[in-house]
Amino acid sequence: MSLPILRGFTLIVNDDMNLAIQIESMQLPGLEEITEDYQPGGSDLQIQIAGLGVKPLEAPFKLKGHMPSVAGLFGGAPGIRHTFTGKKFIVDELDGSEHEHAIDITGRLISVAEEEMGGGKATGYDHKIGSIIQYSYMADGKVLHRFNFTQGGWAVRNGVAVNEGRRRVLFG
């Protein structure tokens, strides 16, 4: 059992822009399978057929302040993507152990929106990374998930290498 406490996080853009001071919040991409509901004849219950793939990954984040260097990454010509590295530092309240989680993603900044303005409040911007073609999630130095669209999809799932035969047949 653990009681994790978030003690810090940051987002690094293109390996040279650390947003630790400006970042207000960040959400790591969620993994959600594509499913199809199916009710066989004679059954009283539908089931979800799973294993049909994973919905597109997105990573929203909020920055305080005005950062043209980040907002300027929005859009761009086809094929243009940027690298984003998100890191978080966790301390377990029960045993004091320290843990680092990180993501590396390659995608596009698909949304930039100014927050609602209010008198006497710090201003900021909402952003969203999408069109993610490469995704790695690491915890304490171990790769838990790795996906690469251009290399045939999942390479690691739940810490176990997968799809080696598929990559060999399609890209070998």
Side-chain angles (χ1 to χ4, degrees):
M1 184 172 152
S2 69
L3 185 58
I5 299 172
L6 181 63
R7 290 292 185 201
F9 63 96
T10 188
L11 183 63
I12 301 164
V13 182
N14 289 331
D15 296 327
D16 66 358
M17 199 179 340
N18 189 334
L19 305 176
I21 301 299
Q22 295 85 9
I23 196 154
E24 178 183 1
S25 66
M26 174 175 65
Q27 184 175 345
L28 302 180
L31 299 175
E32 184 179 349
E33 279 195 288
I34 297 169
T35 62
E36 180 179 314
D37 292 343
Y38 173 68
Q39 183 171 353
S43 173
D44 292 333
L45 178 70
Q46 281 188 343
I47 63 169
Q48 286 183 319
I49 309 284
L52 302 175
V54 176
K55 292 184 178 182
L57 303 177
E58 294 182 336
F61 63 97
K62 293 177 182 261
L63 298 180
K64 285 296 183 191
H66 179 66
M67 293 200 62
S69 56
V70 176
L73 299 176
F74 173 78
I80 299 296
R81 286 185 172 73
H82 302 278
T83 59
F84 299 88
T85 301
K87 294 183 178 185
K88 66 180 178 177
F89 179 69
I90 298 170
V91 177
D92 190 314
E93 171 63 20
L94 296 180
D95 65 12
S97 60
E98 298 178 344
H99 305 277
E100 180 181 331
H101 293 232
I103 60 161
D104 282 321
I105 54 180
T106 303
R108 292 173 65 101
L109 193 60
I110 63 169
S111 175
V112 178
E114 188 170 351
E115 294 178 333
E116 181 179 346
M117 293 177 272
K121 293 187 178 186
T123 187
Y125 291 82
D126 295 330
H127 303 76
K128 188 185 304 179
I129 304 164
S131 190
I132 296 171
I133 61 169
Q134 187 173 343
Y135 166 83
S136 293
Y137 178 74
M138 290 83 53
D140 295 327
K142 181 180 179 186
V143 175
L144 296 179
H145 301 294
R146 178 166 286 147
F147 177 87
N148 189 317
F149 179 77
T150 61
Q151 293 178 353
W154 290 103
V156 177
R157 191 178 303 129
N158 296 324
V160 178
V162 295
N163 291 330
E164 292 169 351
R166 177 170 143 183
R167 282 193 308 282
R168 185 185 72 252
V169 168
L170 295 176
F171 301 100

